[in-house]
Amino acid sequence: MSLNEEQNLAVQRALEGHNILIHGPAGTGKSYVIKQIIDTIKKTPKKLSVTATTGIACIAYPDAMTIHKWSGYGDGRNNKKEIAELVQHNRHYMECKQRIIETDILIIDECSMMSRKLFECLDSICRIKNSNLPFGGIQLILAGDFRQLPPVSNPIFSDNGEFCFLSPLFEVITHRLELRQVVRQSELQLIDAIAQCSMGNPTSDCVKFIQSLARQLQSPDAATKLFSTNEQVDEYNRTKIMEFPGQLYEFLSADTGERNFLSQMIIPKHLWLKIGAPVILMRNLSDKLVNGLKGVVSAITEEGPIVKFGEKSVPVPRMKCSVFSPSKNHDVAVREQYPLKLAFAISIHKSQGMTLER
C-alpha cells in the first residue's frame, strides 16, 4: 500500500525531527504510517523507542512495550517528582533509565488512553536525559484518535482520567496532523455513519442505515459481547459459563488486606473455568503474552489452567496483584490468583486495539 498525501506529510514531519500528533478516525492508516516511520528511522543512526498505552496495541509493532513499562511509570502510584527520583536513583529502574538516556525518538500509539497525569510524569522522567528541555529533548511521535476511548481514571493515585492534550505541556506537540481519508473501508455510507457516530451526532438517516444492518447471526454464541462496565461483563460471563458444556472448575484467590479494595480488583476472587471456554489475560506474561490477549482454555491440570493463545498453549501461573495506597505508603490489598477472566463478554476498554472475528 502506498502512502496518500496526508500520510506522506506525517512521515515527512516525523523525519524532519518535529514533535507530532498523528490523529484521525479509525481506518485512516495511523498504524500503517507509524510502521513506515519506524522502518525509515531504523535506517538512520537515531535511537528509536516504540511504545503504546496498552499491551494489545504493542503487538502490532516488533520490540514495542507499554509506555508504563518503558518509562518506569508502572501503575501510576507515584507522583511526577517521586517517579523521576526513582528512575534517576533507584537500582531497580536502571533499565528504564538507560532506555530514556539512549532514546532520541519516542513513539506512543493509542495516545487517547494516556492521561494528563501520565503525560506530565513522562516529562519529569525523561528530563533525566536533559533537565533543561521538555521530555529531555526526546522527539515525541503520538498516534491515536481522541474520539475513541478516554483514559481510565484512578482516584486512588490522584488520576482523574483527563486527556493528555489538556496539559499545558501538550504545546510541545507542534505539528498535529489529521488523517481524513479512510483506507480500511470503501463503502461511503458506512464510512459516513462511523464518522457521525464518533462525533456523537448521527442523523436520522444514519440511524436508519445502522438499523437496516440488523440481522440474525448464524452463530450468536460465538460472538464476543461488549459492555460498558465490568459489572455487566461479569454478570454475562457468569451466566454463560453455567450454560457452557463440560465440568466446572473453580479457583479461589488468596487475599490479604482491606475488603473494600479487594472488592474493586478486576482479577476475580472466584475464577470459574471450563475446558473450551474463552478467556482474556489480565497481566503480561511476556512481551507477546500481554494483558488483554484472548485465548481458550485447552486443559486444566493440578498446577492450574493451560490456555491456547493463537497456536501456542501455555500454562498460566498464579500471580499477585495489589492496590497501593500513596497516603499509607504500602499495599492495602493483595490478591494471588490466575490472571484470567472469562471472555464471553469483555469491556469496551479491554477491546480497544483488538481484532475480533465476531
Side-chain angles (χ1 to χ4, degrees), residues 191-317:
I191 292 170
D192 185 55
I194 293 171
Q196 288 187 38
C197 290
S198 72
M199 291 295 290
N201 55 357
T203 63
S204 58
D205 286 342
C206 175
V207 173
K208 288 176 184 177
F209 166 67
I210 293 172
Q211 291 173 338
S212 75
L213 302 176
R215 61 204 182 279
Q216 184 66 39
L217 297 176
Q218 291 182 344
S219 304
D221 289 341
T224 303
K225 300 292 190 300
L226 302 182
F227 292 101
S228 57
T229 68
N230 284 310
E231 288 79 7
Q232 293 169 310
V233 169
D234 293 342
E235 182 179 355
Y236 185 84
N237 281 330
R238 282 192 294 268
T239 300
K240 293 302 291 184
I241 195 64
M242 297 307 294
E243 297 173 354
F244 198 79
Q247 180 180 344
L248 179 69
Y249 296 85
E250 181 181 37
F251 299 94
L252 186 64
S253 66
D255 293 348
T256 56
E258 299 180 25
R259 184 179 299 177
N260 59 318
F261 290 111
L262 288 166
S263 65
Q264 296 172 25
M265 287 189 174
I266 297 177
I267 293 178
K269 179 177 181 63
H270 298 271
L271 176 62
W272 292 354
L273 298 177
K274 290 182 180 180
I275 294 173
V279 290
I280 189 169
L281 193 57
M282 303 301 292
R283 286 289 185 274
N284 293 348
L285 301 184
S286 70
D287 289 342
K288 300 298 180 185
L289 300 172
V290 297
N291 185 351
L293 194 63
K294 275 195 71 182
V296 175
V297 178
S298 58
I300 302 289
T301 70
E302 291 184 359
E303 286 73 35
I306 295 176
V307 179
K308 188 174 184 180
F309 298 103
E311 299 300 317
K312 186 177 182 181
S313 292
V314 296
V316 176

Side-chain angles (χ1 to χ4, degrees), residues 138-193:
I138 296 172
Q139 179 189 352
L140 300 182
I141 300 174
L142 310 185
D145 180 6
F146 289 107
R147 293 176 187 145
Q148 292 185 25
L149 289 175
V152 178
S153 63
N154 190 336
I156 295 175
F157 296 157
S158 303
D159 190 343
N160 58 12
E162 286 183 288
F163 281 111
C164 60
F165 62 73
L166 293 175
S167 169
L169 277 172
F170 205 78
E171 292 300 316
V172 303
I173 310 298
T174 51
H175 289 70
R176 304 171 190 189
L177 307 163
E178 183 177 9
L179 305 184
R180 297 182 178 89
Q181 183 179 341
V182 176
V183 294
R184 185 182 297 163
Q185 294 98 12
S186 57
E187 301 89 343
L188 294 179
Q189 196 171 12
L190 176 61
I191 292 170
D192 185 55

Side-chain angles (χ1 to χ4, degrees), residues 24-207:
T28 52
K30 296 184 294 294
S31 296
Y32 180 73
V33 170
I34 291 295
K35 288 176 182 177
Q36 297 304 305
I37 292 171
I38 293 170
D39 290 344
T40 308
I41 291 174
K42 283 185 174 179
K43 298 172 185 175
T44 73
K46 292 189 174 182
K47 173 68 175 176
L48 172 69
S49 291
V50 183
T51 69
T53 54
T54 68
I56 286 293
C58 288
I59 293 176
Y61 311 103
D63 305 319
M65 67 177 70
T66 64
I67 187 63
H68 307 74
K69 179 180 179 181
W70 181 88
S71 64
Y73 179 80
D75 59 10
R77 63 181 59 183
N78 303 110
N79 62 38
K80 59 185 180 182
K81 183 178 179 181
E82 291 168 344
I83 190 59
E85 281 288 317
L86 285 170
V87 176
Q88 175 78 287
H89 302 294
N90 192 305
R91 62 184 179 87
H92 296 295
Y93 291 80
M94 284 180 62
E95 287 186 13
C96 295
K97 182 178 179 180
Q98 195 66 25
R99 280 195 294 265
I100 293 162
I101 291 172
E102 292 179 353
T103 296
D104 299 308
I105 305 168
L106 174 63
I107 291 175
I108 309 175
D109 198 10
E110 296 288 4
C111 65
S112 75
M113 297 179 74
M114 177 168 56
S115 70
R116 174 177 177 170
K117 182 192 174 186
L118 171 52
F119 188 67
E120 293 179 349
C121 283
L122 187 62
D123 170 61
S124 294
I125 296 166
C126 289
R127 282 178 185 264
I128 67 174
K129 180 181 174 76
N130 186 330
S131 60
N132 297 317
L133 295 173
F135 297 90
I138 296 172
Q139 179 189 352
L140 300 182
I141 300 174
L142 310 185
D145 180 6
F146 289 107
R147 293 176 187 145
Q148 292 185 25
L149 289 175
V152 178
S153 63
N154 190 336
I156 295 175
F157 296 157
S158 303
D159 190 343
N160 58 12
E162 286 183 288
F163 281 111
C164 60
F165 62 73
L166 293 175
S167 169
L169 277 172
F170 205 78
E171 292 300 316
V172 303
I173 310 298
T174 51
H175 289 70
R176 304 171 190 189
L177 307 163
E178 183 177 9
L179 305 184
R180 297 182 178 89
Q181 183 179 341
V182 176
V183 294
R184 185 182 297 163
Q185 294 98 12
S186 57
E187 301 89 343
L188 294 179
Q189 196 171 12
L190 176 61
I191 292 170
D192 185 55
I194 293 171
Q196 288 187 38
C197 290
S198 72
M199 291 295 290
N201 55 357
T203 63
S204 58
D205 286 342
C206 175
V207 173

